[in-house]
Amino acid sequence: MKQVRTVLFFPPESVEEPVTYHLISDHGLRVNILRARIDPGKQGRMVVDLEGDDSQLAAGLNYLERIGVEVKPLTTEIRHMEETCTACTACIPHCPTGALSVDRDDSWAVAFEPEKCILCLSCMEVCIYGAMVLGEE
Amino acid sequence: MTRTIQQINERIRSGSAVVLTAEEVIDAVKQDGIKTAFKKVDVVTTGTFSPMCSSGAFFNIRQSKEKMKIGGGFATLNHVPAYAGLAAADIYLGATALPDGDPRNGNGRPGKFRYGGAHVIEALVAGRKVTLRAGGYGTDCYPRRERVQEIGLEDTNDAFLFNPRNGYQNYNVAVNPSDKPIYTYMGKLKPKLGNANYCSAGQLSPLFKDPYYRTIGIGTRVFLGGALGYVAWSGTQHNAAVPRRKNGAPVRPAGTLALVGDLKQMDPRWLRAVSFAGYGVTLSLALGVPIPILDEEMLRFAAVTDEEIVAPVVDYSRFYPTGEGEPVLGEVSYAELKSGRIRLKGKTVPTGSFSSYAKAREVARHVKALIESKAFLLTEAQAPLPGARGEQEVRS
Ligand code: SF4
Ligand code: SF4
């Protein structure tokens, strides 16, 4: 048995495909969804752990490729550089999951919860201080 | 009862002055009322930390043995062009200057704008060296024609920030009602009113706390980028003649300050280069101005809260760039902006800021500490800003 952590990028056409169902029932893989962002009609993104033997994994990845899902290894993770962050809050309305949040009642500090991050990279584009960086996990 | 700046300075020197930040004074006035609080409070410190595009620095580069006239020639610092139309060794580097060859927005928008004038200024303030490349045409008195050298602030005779426009008194809230995302100096604006971006520290912001420029004027000492600085002039686009609320707060962008300060005394904690995707490079700066509480009216001004000041919401997809359409979509208070969402055209719109309230608070606290430790005395303005209350009397 082997486990791989990957990011699946769904083109808008295959967002409605029951991908995890096929991976489980047709290919015998164990699928653990760590993060997902799937909106009908838009590109989707899912971070998953796939577990199975070599041939199951190969068949599963083959299936994903066939339906147009891009499979990328999860070697990167977003990091919030607290020293660089000025807590301006410019990223807050761009973060779709609330992974970035601000304590408006007291400190006005900006906090990052990696477990809620779906790696959409919106914050990287809008942070003018370069406080959101891609880093090795 | 009133008090003068001299009396306040005497109290600072003797260690008995009462200094509150612009947040603390709000609580003090709520608790004690204006009359009682006025008897106690001498100074209120304000602060802001935000991108301030109209910024830049003058440098006088120390000559080498064989002298060179940069004036009329050219100079770049880390490939970023500086203005070379001054005397032999003076150059001016603007915060928004970009290296030749930067793709700008040309390689398919939005450009990244990773490096520019502000980054050079930040590097120098952080004690790093940058590469000066300069050329001149050669004269009898300045024969040298070319110079390439690593320089730091220690290789300059003088280095000072001179910012034509900082500290805007109030600013637009930017939104995008169109169907495409846009990239502006107010950040990325999502389509269909997807977000609203603002840029003021509101109740901590200097000019909101002296709305008629009664104490802030030309010559006023300020805290700028970590050093002591001064108001050199009214800032460009300064406009006192905008509609105001009863509490004096302008409801449109109004006053501005031209500021000057010694770059050699500044600190990267209070001066940061920034890159706006799709827009450009600029400089974020800390600015703090202490307000002397001369009378009850000044205390009332200084205690104005986020609930009592409003900003105009402006369409940056149409009205701002083209002047067409509705000039102002609505007015919202800073309290609403800071709640994280505003109501606009029947929609709830999430807000984000480019002005850091957390840092603004740090600035106000820092200036308070400087005054309490007698490292910062207040100054009398030498001349009023245009449109200042009482300006006529001063001039006549
Ligand atoms: S935009 Fe950048 S600096 Fe501002 S709060 Fe977010 S991470 Fe921090
Ligand atoms: S990449 Fe940034 S914006 Fe996207 S979910 Fe993660 S923290 Fe939020």
Side-chain angles (χ1 to χ4, degrees):
Chain A
M1 287 293 250
K2 239 172 78 179
Q3 195 190 348
V4 288
R5 183 167 287 189
T6 55
V7 195
L8 309 181
F9 294 86
F10 296 81
E13 323 67 271
S14 61
V15 155
E16 273 150 71
E17 176 97 11
V19 170
T20 43
Y21 168 78
H22 286 294
L23 288 174
I24 297 165
S25 69
D26 303 355
H27 304 286
L29 290 169
R30 290 183 60 174
V31 181
N32 185 14
I33 301 174
L34 301 170
R35 288 160 216 177
R37 180 167 195 210
I38 311 252
D39 298 319
K42 287 199 193 135
Q43 199 200 50
R45 191 184 298 242
M46 199 189 268
V47 182
V48 291
D49 279 336
L50 300 177
E51 205 180 319
D53 62 31
D54 283 341
S55 68
Q56 287 170 321
L57 281 170
L61 295 177
N62 196 349
Y63 154 73
L64 289 170
E65 201 173 306
R66 220 169 44 241
I67 62 164
V69 174
E70 212 182 318
V71 182
K72 286 199 175 147
L74 184 79
T75 52
T76 51
E77 193 76 341
I78 283 270
R79 284 191 298 152
H80 176 228
M81 313 293 282
E82 280 175 31
E83 291 293 295
T84 313
C85 174
T86 64
C88 65
T89 75
C91 54
I92 301 294
H94 292 275
C95 180
T97 63
L100 284 160
S101 64
V102 52
D103 173 10
R104 295 180 190 278
D105 298 325
D106 183 29
S107 69
W108 278 86
V110 167
F112 174 56
E113 293 164 87
E115 7 9 293
K116 291 193 190 161
C117 174
I118 53 158
L119 287 169
C120 71
L121 311 189
S122 305
C123 53
M124 275 189 76
E125 186 186 41
V126 301
C127 178
I128 58 175
Y129 295 93
M132 301 305 295
V133 297
L134 278 175
E136 296 296 312
E137 209 182 13
Chain B
M1 188 184 119
T2 58
R3 54 171 82 83
T4 65
I5 290 176
Q6 290 93 317
Q7 287 167 337
I8 293 173
N9 279 340
E10 274 157 34
R11 286 169 62 80
I12 294 173
R13 280 196 204 93
S14 70
S16 61
V18 174
V19 187
L20 297 185
T21 70
E23 279 184 322
E24 292 164 346
V25 76
I26 289 171
D27 294 336
V29 166
K30 269 188 195 140
Q31 217 184 321
D32 299 340
I34 289 283
K35 279 208 177 337
T36 311
F38 173 69
K39 296 204 182 91
K40 291 186 231 167
V41 184
D42 296 299
V43 182
V44 169
T45 61
T46 63
T48 182
F49 184 92
S50 154
M52 302 199 190
C53 286
S54 220
S55 298
F58 282 105
F59 300 96
N60 179 278
I61 317 279
R62 197 165 295 142
Q63 290 280 7
S64 52
K65 195 159 165 255
E66 186 194 23
K67 294 193 178 64
M68 184 170 106
K69 177 175 185 267
I70 300 175
F74 76 90
T76 64
L77 293 166
N78 277 0
H79 298 284
V80 181
Y83 180 71
L86 298 164
D90 288 333
I91 58 173
Y92 183 81
L93 180 67
T96 70
L98 295 170
D100 292 339
D102 183 288
R104 273 87 174 168
N105 280 330
N107 273 357
R109 286 151 61 94
K112 301 238 189 264
F113 302 99
R114 285 194 204 281
Y115 201 87
H119 295 87
V120 174
I121 294 171
E122 183 189 53
L124 289 167
V125 168
R128 296 198 293 274
K129 295 226 177 217
V130 299
T131 307
L132 166 76
R133 282 192 173 75
Y137 46 80
T139 69
D140 290 341
C141 43
Y142 291 103
R144 186 165 180 175
R145 286 166 189 255
E146 219 188 307
R147 189 167 166 191
V148 179
Q149 192 192 330
E150 297 297 300
I151 62 161
L153 285 182
E154 63 283 6
D155 303 300
T156 64
N157 290 314
D158 314 274
F160 53 90
L161 274 191
F162 195 108
N163 306 338
R165 182 172 66 257
N166 285 173
Y168 236 125
Q169 183 184 26
N170 209 353
Y171 209 72
N172 297 339
V173 179
V175 295
N176 171 17
S178 82
D179 328 312
K180 292 189 314 254
I182 57 173
Y183 295 83
T184 74
Y185 70 88
M186 292 295 286
K188 180 178 183 179
L189 299 172
K190 296 197 269 186
K192 302 203 176 87
L193 303 176
N195 59 324
N197 283 351
Y198 65 101
C199 194
S200 170
Q203 65 188 13
L204 270 172
S205 178
L207 288 176
F208 263 135
K209 308 261 96 164
D210 181 7
Y212 293 112
Y213 329 115
R214 279 189 58 204
T215 69
I216 303 175
I218 294 164
T220 298
R221 185 179 292 140
V222 301
F223 174 82
L224 179 68
L228 298 191
Y230 293 87
V231 176
W233 202 249
S234 51
T236 53
Q237 295 174 25
H238 172 90
N239 177 16
V242 302
R244 288 168 187 266
R245 306 191 94 191
K246 276 210 199 74
N247 60 18
V251 300
R252 298 287 178 271
T256 70
L257 302 172
L259 297 176
V260 56
D262 186 359
L263 203 62
K264 294 188 180 188
Q265 306 296 322
M266 292 190 188
D267 180 334
R269 176 176 166 209
W270 304 117
L271 176 151
R272 300 272 300 276
V274 299
S275 299
F276 278 84
Y279 179 71
V281 165
T282 187
L283 191 65
S284 278
L285 278 173
L287 166 64
V289 187
I291 312 280
I293 304 304
L294 303 176
D295 49 29
E296 290 180 8
E297 184 189 47
M298 280 316 293
L299 181 61
R300 215 168 307 149
F301 287 147
V304 154
T305 66
D306 280 335
E307 284 78 21
E308 300 163 320
I309 51 182
V310 300
V313 183
V314 174
D315 174 358
Y316 274 66
S317 67
R318 184 145 180 257
F319 180 76
Y320 189 89
T322 67
E324 310 261 319
E326 227 179 313
V328 173
L329 303 183
E331 277 177 5
V332 289
S333 75
Y334 279 91
E336 292 170 88
L337 288 164
K338 286 180 185 166
S339 76
R341 55 191 63 83
I342 57 171
R343 290 290 294 172
L344 189 67
K345 308 252 166 212
K347 248 192 108 170
T348 299
V349 184
T351 59
S353 175
F354 281 99
S355 183
S356 165
Y357 195 72
K359 281 270 204 181
R361 188 184 267 167
E362 259 185 72
V363 174
R365 287 183 183 159
H366 188 75
V367 175
K368 171 178 167 166
L370 285 175
I371 295 172
E372 285 174 341
S373 67
K374 306 172 198 178
F376 192 126
L377 292 175
L378 307 199
T379 49
E380 304 256 7
Q382 298 304 302
L385 297 173
R389 166 96 64 78
E391 187 195 1
Q392 282 73 19
E393 297 107 81
V394 175
R395 287 215 169 146
S396 61

